[in-house]
Amino acid sequence: MILQLLQPEGAQRILRDTAKLSALHNVSYQLLAGSPAPRKRFLAVGLASVQRPRGFYLLATLQSLFSQSTEEELQEMVVVVHLADTDPSWNVRVAATIAQKFTRHILLGRLLLIHAPPEFYPTLEGLKRNFNDAEERVRFRSKQNVDYAFLLAFAANLSSYYLMIEDDVWSARSFLTAIRRALASQESSNWATLEFSKLGYIGKLYRSSDLPRLAHFLLLFYQEMPCDWLLVHFRQLLAQKDVIRFKPSLFQHMGLYSSFQGTVNRLEDEDFQADALDLPDNPPASLYTSMSIFENYEPLKAYSSAQGYFWGKDPAAGSTFSIVFKHPARVSRVRVRTGSKERPGDFLRAGLLELGQRRDRSQHCSFYIPVGSFEKGMLEQRGLERVLPGPVECVRIRVTQDQSEWLIIESIDIWTTAGT
């Protein structure tokens, strides 16, 4: 737990530092370019940037955010960049370059460049060296926590939702529309964080109403651990136990060199997909299987945005995995991936995909038609709306051959067409 990391003397110093910062709205930000729009937007995209020893990716990141969005999407978005370097001349120089390159977006209130002056920062000297990190690394990550805290506090009233990214990422096309769809799928969920990338603090979505709390949280524990670890604790404290991550990822890390000491950093999200409009719909459904389930690897994990996958024991010919829609849907495309990176051998050796219609009151459909077979554990079928007349009520995977290996179903993606 975080509180156990705080030694009495450390806690006293932190509380002294953060007492000055308890009213974050009193921080006097320098507005380097742009001005907040009078109308609240749907989404604020926030990133902090400092001078790197090697590489400079901020302009490409901004270009990607804007060029991958339609004009309609841009009207619902504001990008906030916290230029947080300790060298004021670098901040001013970069702000001028951005203002020149993205003049239109600044004039339309879609891009804001800010800076929180150093006098508002807590001490960055004599910090605790948790995890035996080098003093320089502790100073770097502690300052980064504060950089983000000030950014979050500034952005709290700009939009309904806030997306955290880094200053070296590519964006998928129409990522805002994909996020809107993801939010619709979580309408009844009391989530704290939705994730659109598996990397660090790239693609983390928050309700803007939670930003003041998150800003204070990062300030309070700024010297304890890296920002991405603190974000996990924040999610858990807001009673969201499981990660809710959407695939494919909407953001990809582009930088080769880290902002800390310029070390080579080849991080990549293999779940990234450049076209966000190609995301599946996965209509609300109940899931059933005739296979024994290993531990907590439930069927829902293969179909929902929950972290993990389905893992079934002893699949045999005739074993089934069924998706029963809450409401009939016109299915146009289905993609199923079995096996996993960690256990590539646990894939489906032989099986069929079937679409069904319910003819009775049971939880399953009484009529099924096969529409495709698995090849090397994978299946993707398109044009399915032409195969079965009328809406589909069930989608079923049926094992057609005994296999000694267990079965992992990593993901099931279903696309539907209008007229459901």
Side-chain angles (χ1 to χ4, degrees), residues 26-61:
N26 288 333
V27 173
S28 299
Y29 295 89
Q30 294 174 5
L31 203 52
L32 301 178
S35 57
R39 179 180 66 88
K40 231 182 187 185
R41 305 289 171 93
F42 167 73
L43 182 70
V45 182
L47 56 152
S49 188
V50 296
Q51 190 170 183
R52 294 168 180 259
R54 302 165 75 185
F56 178 64
Y57 311 102
L58 177 56
L59 296 179
T61 298

PDB file of all heavy atoms in Angstrom, residues 26-61:
ATOM      1  N   ASN A  26      -5.129  28.003  -7.446  1.00  0.00           N
ATOM      2  CA  ASN A  26      -4.378  29.240  -7.211  1.00  0.00           C
ATOM      3  C   ASN A  26      -3.038  29.259  -7.936  1.00  0.00           C
ATOM      4  O   ASN A  26      -2.316  30.250  -7.867  1.00  0.00           O
ATOM      5  CB  ASN A  26      -4.129  29.431  -5.706  1.00  0.00           C
ATOM      6  CG  ASN A  26      -5.420  29.815  -4.976  1.00  0.00           C
ATOM      7  OD1 ASN A  26      -6.315  30.395  -5.584  1.00  0.00           O
ATOM      8  ND2 ASN A  26      -5.500  29.470  -3.706  1.00  0.00           N
ATOM      9  N   VAL A  27      -2.686  28.152  -8.590  1.00  0.00           N
ATOM     10  CA  VAL A  27      -1.437  28.130  -9.349  1.00  0.00           C
ATOM     11  C   VAL A  27      -1.554  29.098 -10.525  1.00  0.00           C
ATOM     12  O   VAL A  27      -2.536  29.083 -11.267  1.00  0.00           O
ATOM     13  CB  VAL A  27      -1.136  26.703  -9.862  1.00  0.00           C
ATOM     14  CG1 VAL A  27       0.072  26.722 -10.784  1.00  0.00           C
ATOM     15  CG2 VAL A  27      -0.899  25.771  -8.682  1.00  0.00           C
ATOM     16  N   SER A  28      -0.565  29.976 -10.688  1.00  0.00           N
ATOM     17  CA  SER A  28      -0.577  30.952 -11.785  1.00  0.00           C
ATOM     18  C   SER A  28       0.133  30.359 -12.994  1.00  0.00           C
ATOM     19  O   SER A  28       1.360  30.382 -13.076  1.00  0.00           O
ATOM     20  CB  SER A  28       0.124  32.242 -11.351  1.00  0.00           C
ATOM     21  OG  SER A  28      -0.554  32.813 -10.254  1.00  0.00           O
ATOM     22  N   TYR A  29      -0.644  29.777 -13.895  1.00  0.00           N
ATOM     23  CA  TYR A  29      -0.066  29.190 -15.095  1.00  0.00           C
ATOM     24  C   TYR A  29       0.345  30.288 -16.070  1.00  0.00           C
ATOM     25  O   TYR A  29      -0.293  31.340 -16.157  1.00  0.00           O
ATOM     26  CB  TYR A  29      -1.088  28.290 -15.795  1.00  0.00           C
ATOM     27  CG  TYR A  29      -1.486  27.075 -15.014  1.00  0.00           C
ATOM     28  CD1 TYR A  29      -2.558  27.120 -14.121  1.00  0.00           C
ATOM     29  CD2 TYR A  29      -0.822  25.883 -15.174  1.00  0.00           C
ATOM     30  CE1 TYR A  29      -2.942  26.010 -13.404  1.00  0.00           C
ATOM     31  CE2 TYR A  29      -1.197  24.752 -14.466  1.00  0.00           C
ATOM     32  CZ  TYR A  29      -2.259  24.819 -13.571  1.00  0.00           C
ATOM     33  OH  TYR A  29      -2.632  23.713 -12.871  1.00  0.00           O
ATOM     34  N   GLN A  30       1.393  30.040 -16.806  1.00  0.00           N
ATOM     35  CA  GLN A  30       1.742  30.883 -17.937  1.00  0.00           C
ATOM     36  C   GLN A  30       1.077  30.276 -19.175  1.00  0.00           C
ATOM     37  O   GLN A  30       1.310  29.106 -19.492  1.00  0.00           O
ATOM     38  CB  GLN A  30       3.254  30.927 -18.133  1.00  0.00           C
ATOM     39  CG  GLN A  30       4.006  31.600 -17.001  1.00  0.00           C
ATOM     40  CD  GLN A  30       5.510  31.493 -17.172  1.00  0.00           C
ATOM     41  OE1 GLN A  30       6.001  30.988 -18.178  1.00  0.00           O
ATOM     42  NE2 GLN A  30       6.248  31.958 -16.172  1.00  0.00           N
ATOM     43  N   LEU A  31       0.227  31.035 -19.839  1.00  0.00           N
ATOM     44  CA  LEU A  31      -0.416  30.582 -21.067  1.00  0.00           C
ATOM     45  C   LEU A  31       0.490  30.993 -22.226  1.00  0.00           C
ATOM     46  O   LEU A  31       0.566  32.170 -22.584  1.00  0.00           O
ATOM     47  CB  LEU A  31      -1.803  31.220 -21.189  1.00  0.00           C
ATOM     48  CG  LEU A  31      -2.842  30.507 -22.059  1.00  0.00           C
ATOM     49  CD1 LEU A  31      -3.002  29.048 -21.677  1.00  0.00           C
ATOM     50  CD2 LEU A  31      -4.167  31.223 -21.966  1.00  0.00           C
ATOM     51  N   LEU A  32       1.213  30.024 -22.774  1.00  0.00           N
ATOM     52  CA  LEU A  32       2.214  30.323 -23.796  1.00  0.00           C
ATOM     53  C   LEU A  32       1.594  30.505 -25.180  1.00  0.00           C
ATOM     54  O   LEU A  32       2.169  31.191 -26.027  1.00  0.00           O
ATOM     55  CB  LEU A  32       3.264  29.205 -23.840  1.00  0.00           C
ATOM     56  CG  LEU A  32       4.017  28.953 -22.520  1.00  0.00           C
ATOM     57  CD1 LEU A  32       4.993  27.797 -22.684  1.00  0.00           C
ATOM     58  CD2 LEU A  32       4.757  30.204 -22.066  1.00  0.00           C
ATOM     59  N   ALA A  33       0.454  29.877 -25.410  1.00  0.00           N
ATOM     60  CA  ALA A  33      -0.249  30.033 -26.692  1.00  0.00           C
ATOM     61  C   ALA A  33      -1.671  29.535 -26.528  1.00  0.00           C
ATOM     62  O   ALA A  33      -1.921  28.554 -25.818  1.00  0.00           O
ATOM     63  CB  ALA A  33       0.459  29.267 -27.808  1.00  0.00           C
ATOM     64  N   GLY A  34      -2.610  30.229 -27.204  1.00  0.00           N
ATOM     65  CA  GLY A  34      -4.004  29.818 -27.179  1.00  0.00           C
ATOM     66  C   GLY A  34      -4.750  30.361 -25.979  1.00  0.00           C
ATOM     67  O   GLY A  34      -4.162  30.936 -25.058  1.00  0.00           O
ATOM     68  N   SER A  35      -6.054  30.168 -25.995  1.00  0.00           N
ATOM     69  CA  SER A  35      -6.887  30.548 -24.858  1.00  0.00           C
ATOM     70  C   SER A  35      -8.051  29.567 -24.773  1.00  0.00           C
ATOM     71  O   SER A  35      -8.562  29.109 -25.803  1.00  0.00           O
ATOM     72  CB  SER A  35      -7.418  31.970 -25.013  1.00  0.00           C
ATOM     73  OG  SER A  35      -8.132  32.091 -26.227  1.00  0.00           O
ATOM     74  N   PRO A  36      -8.468  29.218 -23.562  1.00  0.00           N
ATOM     75  CA  PRO A  36      -9.546  28.233 -23.391  1.00  0.00           C
ATOM     76  C   PRO A  36     -10.830  28.691 -24.075  1.00  0.00           C
ATOM     77  O   PRO A  36     -11.215  29.862 -23.990  1.00  0.00           O
ATOM     78  CB  PRO A  36      -9.718  28.146 -21.870  1.00  0.00           C
ATOM     79  CG  PRO A  36      -8.415  28.606 -21.313  1.00  0.00           C
ATOM     80  CD  PRO A  36      -7.916  29.655 -22.271  1.00  0.00           C
ATOM     81  N   ALA A  37     -11.485  27.752 -24.754  1.00  0.00           N
ATOM     82  CA  ALA A  37     -12.739  28.067 -25.442  1.00  0.00           C
ATOM     83  C   ALA A  37     -13.852  28.252 -24.412  1.00  0.00           C
ATOM     84  O   ALA A  37     -13.813  27.649 -23.331  1.00  0.00           O
ATOM     85  CB  ALA A  37     -13.102  26.941 -26.407  1.00  0.00           C
ATOM     86  N   PRO A  38     -14.856  29.081 -24.708  1.00  0.00           N
ATOM     87  CA  PRO A  38     -15.953  29.286 -23.758  1.00  0.00           C
ATOM     88  C   PRO A  38     -16.818  28.050 -23.588  1.00  0.00           C
ATOM     89  O   PRO A  38     -17.450  27.872 -22.552  1.00  0.00           O
ATOM     90  CB  PRO A  38     -16.750  30.436 -24.390  1.00  0.00           C
ATOM     91  CG  PRO A  38     -16.383  30.425 -25.835  1.00  0.00           C
ATOM     92  CD  PRO A  38     -14.984  29.930 -25.911  1.00  0.00           C
ATOM     93  N   ARG A  39     -16.824  27.182 -24.604  1.00  0.00           N
ATOM     94  CA  ARG A  39     -17.678  25.984 -24.552  1.00  0.00           C
ATOM     95  C   ARG A  39     -16.861  24.766 -24.133  1.00  0.00           C
ATOM     96  O   ARG A  39     -15.758  24.541 -24.619  1.00  0.00           O
ATOM     97  CB  ARG A  39     -18.288  25.743 -25.943  1.00  0.00           C
ATOM     98  CG  ARG A  39     -19.187  24.523 -26.033  1.00  0.00           C
ATOM     99  CD  ARG A  39     -19.756  24.365 -27.444  1.00  0.00           C
ATOM    100  NE  ARG A  39     -18.726  24.062 -28.428  1.00  0.00           N
ATOM    101  CZ  ARG A  39     -18.315  22.822 -28.723  1.00  0.00           C
ATOM    102  NH1 ARG A  39     -18.803  21.785 -28.088  1.00  0.00           N
ATOM    103  NH2 ARG A  39     -17.393  22.641 -29.655  1.00  0.00           N
ATOM    104  N   LYS A  40     -17.431  23.970 -23.226  1.00  0.00           N
ATOM    105  CA  LYS A  40     -16.782  22.737 -22.803  1.00  0.00           C
ATOM    106  C   LYS A  40     -16.770  21.742 -23.962  1.00  0.00           C
ATOM    107  O   LYS A  40     -17.784  21.569 -24.644  1.00  0.00           O
ATOM    108  CB  LYS A  40     -17.560  22.141 -21.619  1.00  0.00           C
ATOM    109  CG  LYS A  40     -16.699  21.800 -20.431  1.00  0.00           C
ATOM    110  CD  LYS A  40     -17.531  21.171 -19.328  1.00  0.00           C
ATOM    111  CE  LYS A  40     -16.681  21.008 -18.086  1.00  0.00           C
ATOM    112  NZ  LYS A  40     -17.388  20.301 -17.016  1.00  0.00           N
ATOM    113  N   ARG A  41     -15.649  21.103 -24.185  1.00  0.00           N
ATOM    114  CA  ARG A  41     -15.534  20.108 -25.247  1.00  0.00           C
ATOM    115  C   ARG A  41     -15.853  18.717 -24.708  1.00  0.00           C
ATOM    116  O   ARG A  41     -15.938  18.499 -23.501  1.00  0.00           O
ATOM    117  CB  ARG A  41     -14.121  20.128 -25.845  1.00  0.00           C
ATOM    118  CG  ARG A  41     -13.676  21.503 -26.350  1.00  0.00           C
ATOM    119  CD  ARG A  41     -14.424  21.916 -27.602  1.00  0.00           C
ATOM    120  NE  ARG A  41     -14.157  23.304 -27.966  1.00  0.00           N
ATOM    121  CZ  ARG A  41     -13.209  23.699 -28.819  1.00  0.00           C
ATOM    122  NH1 ARG A  41     -12.407  22.807 -29.370  1.00  0.00           N
ATOM    123  NH2 ARG A  41     -13.061  24.980 -29.097  1.00  0.00           N
ATOM    124  N   PHE A  42     -15.972  17.779 -25.612  1.00  0.00           N
ATOM    125  CA  PHE A  42     -16.176  16.375 -25.215  1.00  0.00           C
ATOM    126  C   PHE A  42     -14.895  15.790 -24.626  1.00  0.00           C
ATOM    127  O   PHE A  42     -14.907  15.105 -23.608  1.00  0.00           O
ATOM    128  CB  PHE A  42     -16.626  15.560 -26.439  1.00  0.00           C
ATOM    129  CG  PHE A  42     -16.573  14.070 -26.238  1.00  0.00           C
ATOM    130  CD1 PHE A  42     -17.498  13.424 -25.430  1.00  0.00           C
ATOM    131  CD2 PHE A  42     -15.581  13.310 -26.859  1.00  0.00           C
ATOM    132  CE1 PHE A  42     -17.444  12.049 -25.236  1.00  0.00           C
ATOM    133  CE2 PHE A  42     -15.531  11.936 -26.670  1.00  0.00           C
ATOM    134  CZ  PHE A  42     -16.463  11.306 -25.856  1.00  0.00           C
ATOM    135  N   LEU A  43     -13.757  16.076 -25.282  1.00  0.00           N
ATOM    136  CA  LEU A  43     -12.504  15.431 -24.894  1.00  0.00           C
ATOM    137  C   LEU A  43     -11.358  16.430 -24.848  1.00  0.00           C
ATOM    138  O   LEU A  43     -11.153  17.203 -25.779  1.00  0.00           O
ATOM    139  CB  LEU A  43     -12.161  14.322 -25.904  1.00  0.00           C
ATOM    140  CG  LEU A  43     -10.893  13.509 -25.620  1.00  0.00           C
ATOM    141  CD1 LEU A  43     -11.095  12.614 -24.392  1.00  0.00           C
ATOM    142  CD2 LEU A  43     -10.508  12.663 -26.831  1.00  0.00           C
ATOM    143  N   ALA A  44     -10.603  16.394 -23.744  1.00  0.00           N
ATOM    144  CA  ALA A  44      -9.319  17.099 -23.665  1.00  0.00           C
ATOM    145  C   ALA A  44      -8.219  16.047 -23.738  1.00  0.00           C
ATOM    146  O   ALA A  44      -8.289  15.014 -23.061  1.00  0.00           O
ATOM    147  CB  ALA A  44      -9.205  17.886 -22.370  1.00  0.00           C
ATOM    148  N   VAL A  45      -7.234  16.292 -24.584  1.00  0.00           N
ATOM    149  CA  VAL A  45      -6.072  15.406 -24.685  1.00  0.00           C
ATOM    150  C   VAL A  45      -4.899  16.148 -24.058  1.00  0.00           C
ATOM    151  O   VAL A  45      -4.547  17.248 -24.496  1.00  0.00           O
ATOM    152  CB  VAL A  45      -5.756  15.058 -26.155  1.00  0.00           C
ATOM    153  CG1 VAL A  45      -4.568  14.099 -26.221  1.00  0.00           C
ATOM    154  CG2 VAL A  45      -6.976  14.453 -26.840  1.00  0.00           C
ATOM    155  N   GLY A  46      -4.328  15.572 -23.013  1.00  0.00           N
ATOM    156  CA  GLY A  46      -3.265  16.256 -22.281  1.00  0.00           C
ATOM    157  C   GLY A  46      -1.931  15.542 -22.386  1.00  0.00           C
ATOM    158  O   GLY A  46      -1.872  14.303 -22.310  1.00  0.00           O
ATOM    159  N   LEU A  47      -0.853  16.318 -22.559  1.00  0.00           N
ATOM    160  CA  LEU A  47       0.488  15.748 -22.557  1.00  0.00           C
ATOM    161  C   LEU A  47       1.468  16.768 -22.001  1.00  0.00           C
ATOM    162  O   LEU A  47       1.272  17.977 -22.142  1.00  0.00           O
ATOM    163  CB  LEU A  47       0.911  15.303 -23.958  1.00  0.00           C
ATOM    164  CG  LEU A  47       0.881  16.308 -25.096  1.00  0.00           C
ATOM    165  CD1 LEU A  47       1.922  15.933 -26.151  1.00  0.00           C
ATOM    166  CD2 LEU A  47      -0.489  16.332 -25.773  1.00  0.00           C
ATOM    167  N   ALA A  48       2.485  16.263 -21.331  1.00  0.00           N
ATOM    168  CA  ALA A  48       3.555  17.120 -20.808  1.00  0.00           C
ATOM    169  C   ALA A  48       4.822  16.827 -21.597  1.00  0.00           C
ATOM    170  O   ALA A  48       5.055  15.688 -22.023  1.00  0.00           O
ATOM    171  CB  ALA A  48       3.768  16.841 -19.323  1.00  0.00           C
ATOM    172  N   SER A  49       5.638  17.839 -21.797  1.00  0.00           N
ATOM    173  CA  SER A  49       6.843  17.650 -22.602  1.00  0.00           C
ATOM    174  C   SER A  49       8.007  18.427 -22.002  1.00  0.00           C
ATOM    175  O   SER A  49       7.851  19.553 -21.540  1.00  0.00           O
ATOM    176  CB  SER A  49       6.587  18.114 -24.043  1.00  0.00           C
ATOM    177  OG  SER A  49       7.671  17.777 -24.889  1.00  0.00           O
ATOM    178  N   VAL A  50       9.169  17.777 -22.000  1.00  0.00           N
ATOM    179  CA  VAL A  50      10.405  18.429 -21.568  1.00  0.00           C
ATOM    180  C   VAL A  50      11.471  18.195 -22.629  1.00  0.00           C
ATOM    181  O   VAL A  50      11.310  17.365 -23.523  1.00  0.00           O
ATOM    182  CB  VAL A  50      10.898  17.883 -20.204  1.00  0.00           C
ATOM    183  CG1 VAL A  50       9.905  18.191 -19.099  1.00  0.00           C
ATOM    184  CG2 VAL A  50      11.172  16.379 -20.282  1.00  0.00           C
ATOM    185  N   GLN A  51      12.553  18.933 -22.494  1.00  0.00           N
ATOM    186  CA  GLN A  51      13.661  18.803 -23.428  1.00  0.00           C
ATOM    187  C   GLN A  51      14.291  17.420 -23.291  1.00  0.00           C
ATOM    188  O   GLN A  51      14.571  16.961 -22.177  1.00  0.00           O
ATOM    189  CB  GLN A  51      14.693  19.904 -23.121  1.00  0.00           C
ATOM    190  CG  GLN A  51      15.773  20.047 -24.132  1.00  0.00           C
ATOM    191  CD  GLN A  51      16.594  21.309 -23.888  1.00  0.00           C
ATOM    192  OE1 GLN A  51      17.490  21.627 -24.657  1.00  0.00           O
ATOM    193  NE2 GLN A  51      16.303  22.026 -22.820  1.00  0.00           N
ATOM    194  N   ARG A  52      14.493  16.737 -24.408  1.00  0.00           N
ATOM    195  CA  ARG A  52      15.119  15.415 -24.396  1.00  0.00           C
ATOM    196  C   ARG A  52      16.583  15.537 -24.812  1.00  0.00           C
ATOM    197  O   ARG A  52      16.911  16.337 -25.695  1.00  0.00           O
ATOM    198  CB  ARG A  52      14.420  14.472 -25.380  1.00  0.00           C
ATOM    199  CG  ARG A  52      12.989  14.122 -25.034  1.00  0.00           C
ATOM    200  CD  ARG A  52      12.315  13.439 -26.227  1.00  0.00           C
ATOM    201  NE  ARG A  52      10.933  13.073 -25.935  1.00  0.00           N
ATOM    202  CZ  ARG A  52      10.538  11.849 -25.608  1.00  0.00           C
ATOM    203  NH1 ARG A  52      11.426  10.870 -25.534  1.00  0.00           N
ATOM    204  NH2 ARG A  52       9.266  11.590 -25.364  1.00  0.00           N
ATOM    205  N   PRO A  53      17.454  14.716 -24.215  1.00  0.00           N
ATOM    206  CA  PRO A  53      18.856  14.714 -24.654  1.00  0.00           C
ATOM    207  C   PRO A  53      18.987  14.293 -26.125  1.00  0.00           C
ATOM    208  O   PRO A  53      19.854  14.765 -26.839  1.00  0.00           O
ATOM    209  CB  PRO A  53      19.516  13.687 -23.727  1.00  0.00           C
ATOM    210  CG  PRO A  53      18.612  13.576 -22.542  1.00  0.00           C
ATOM    211  CD  PRO A  53      17.225  13.828 -23.069  1.00  0.00           C
ATOM    212  N   ARG A  54      18.087  13.393 -26.569  1.00  0.00           N
ATOM    213  CA  ARG A  54      18.110  12.937 -27.964  1.00  0.00           C
ATOM    214  C   ARG A  54      16.661  12.781 -28.425  1.00  0.00           C
ATOM    215  O   ARG A  54      15.818  12.281 -27.712  1.00  0.00           O
ATOM    216  CB  ARG A  54      18.814  11.581 -28.087  1.00  0.00           C
ATOM    217  CG  ARG A  54      20.222  11.556 -27.576  1.00  0.00           C
ATOM    218  CD  ARG A  54      20.720  10.131 -27.383  1.00  0.00           C
ATOM    219  NE  ARG A  54      21.044   9.487 -28.656  1.00  0.00           N
ATOM    220  CZ  ARG A  54      21.413   8.217 -28.745  1.00  0.00           C
ATOM    221  NH1 ARG A  54      21.475   7.458 -27.657  1.00  0.00           N
ATOM    222  NH2 ARG A  54      21.706   7.693 -29.915  1.00  0.00           N
ATOM    223  N   GLY A  55      16.407  13.198 -29.654  1.00  0.00           N
ATOM    224  CA  GLY A  55      15.076  13.015 -30.236  1.00  0.00           C
ATOM    225  C   GLY A  55      14.107  14.114 -29.814  1.00  0.00           C
ATOM    226  O   GLY A  55      14.210  14.675 -28.717  1.00  0.00           O
ATOM    227  N   PHE A  56      13.175  14.432 -30.717  1.00  0.00           N
ATOM    228  CA  PHE A  56      12.127  15.423 -30.429  1.00  0.00           C
ATOM    229  C   PHE A  56      10.897  15.005 -31.233  1.00  0.00           C
ATOM    230  O   PHE A  56      10.905  15.020 -32.464  1.00  0.00           O
ATOM    231  CB  PHE A  56      12.595  16.830 -30.842  1.00  0.00           C
ATOM    232  CG  PHE A  56      11.558  17.891 -30.610  1.00  0.00           C
ATOM    233  CD1 PHE A  56      11.132  18.199 -29.320  1.00  0.00           C
ATOM    234  CD2 PHE A  56      11.005  18.589 -31.675  1.00  0.00           C
ATOM    235  CE1 PHE A  56      10.174  19.184 -29.098  1.00  0.00           C
ATOM    236  CE2 PHE A  56      10.053  19.589 -31.468  1.00  0.00           C
ATOM    237  CZ  PHE A  56       9.642  19.879 -30.169  1.00  0.00           C
ATOM    238  N   TYR A  57       9.840  14.580 -30.519  1.00  0.00           N
ATOM    239  CA  TYR A  57       8.689  13.957 -31.174  1.00  0.00           C
ATOM    240  C   TYR A  57       7.389  14.734 -30.991  1.00  0.00           C
ATOM    241  O   TYR A  57       6.349  14.324 -31.484  1.00  0.00           O
ATOM    242  CB  TYR A  57       8.495  12.528 -30.626  1.00  0.00           C
ATOM    243  CG  TYR A  57       9.757  11.700 -30.603  1.00  0.00           C
ATOM    244  CD1 TYR A  57      10.461  11.501 -29.418  1.00  0.00           C
ATOM    245  CD2 TYR A  57      10.252  11.130 -31.771  1.00  0.00           C
ATOM    246  CE1 TYR A  57      11.631  10.746 -29.395  1.00  0.00           C
ATOM    247  CE2 TYR A  57      11.416  10.372 -31.754  1.00  0.00           C
ATOM    248  CZ  TYR A  57      12.096  10.181 -30.564  1.00  0.00           C
ATOM    249  OH  TYR A  57      13.252   9.436 -30.551  1.00  0.00           O
ATOM    250  N   LEU A  58       7.457  15.849 -30.282  1.00  0.00           N
ATOM    251  CA  LEU A  58       6.233  16.559 -29.916  1.00  0.00           C
ATOM    252  C   LEU A  58       5.457  17.038 -31.145  1.00  0.00           C
ATOM    253  O   LEU A  58       4.234  16.898 -31.210  1.00  0.00           O
ATOM    254  CB  LEU A  58       6.574  17.738 -28.996  1.00  0.00           C
ATOM    255  CG  LEU A  58       5.422  18.637 -28.564  1.00  0.00           C
ATOM    256  CD1 LEU A  58       4.317  17.830 -27.882  1.00  0.00           C
ATOM    257  CD2 LEU A  58       5.923  19.740 -27.632  1.00  0.00           C
ATOM    258  N   LEU A  59       6.146  17.600 -32.129  1.00  0.00           N
ATOM    259  CA  LEU A  59       5.455  18.116 -33.319  1.00  0.00           C
ATOM    260  C   LEU A  59       4.763  16.982 -34.078  1.00  0.00           C
ATOM    261  O   LEU A  59       3.624  17.129 -34.538  1.00  0.00           O
ATOM    262  CB  LEU A  59       6.440  18.846 -34.237  1.00  0.00           C
ATOM    263  CG  LEU A  59       7.086  20.113 -33.676  1.00  0.00           C
ATOM    264  CD1 LEU A  59       8.056  20.709 -34.688  1.00  0.00           C
ATOM    265  CD2 LEU A  59       6.035  21.135 -33.283  1.00  0.00           C
ATOM    266  N   ALA A  60       5.433  15.844 -34.195  1.00  0.00           N
ATOM    267  CA  ALA A  60       4.835  14.699 -34.890  1.00  0.00           C
ATOM    268  C   ALA A  60       3.630  14.165 -34.120  1.00  0.00           C
ATOM    269  O   ALA A  60       2.633  13.745 -34.723  1.00  0.00           O
ATOM    270  CB  ALA A  60       5.880  13.597 -35.069  1.00  0.00           C
ATOM    271  N   THR A  61       3.707  14.199 -32.792  1.00  0.00           N
ATOM    272  CA  THR A  61       2.576  13.758 -31.962  1.00  0.00           C
ATOM    273  C   THR A  61       1.367  14.651 -32.186  1.00  0.00           C
ATOM    274  O   THR A  61       0.241  14.172 -32.382  1.00  0.00           O
ATOM    275  CB  THR A  61       2.978  13.764 -30.474  1.00  0.00           C
ATOM    276  OG1 THR A  61       4.051  12.841 -30.274  1.00  0.00           O
ATOM    277  CG2 THR A  61       1.800  13.363 -29.586  1.00  0.00           C
TER     278      THR A  61
END
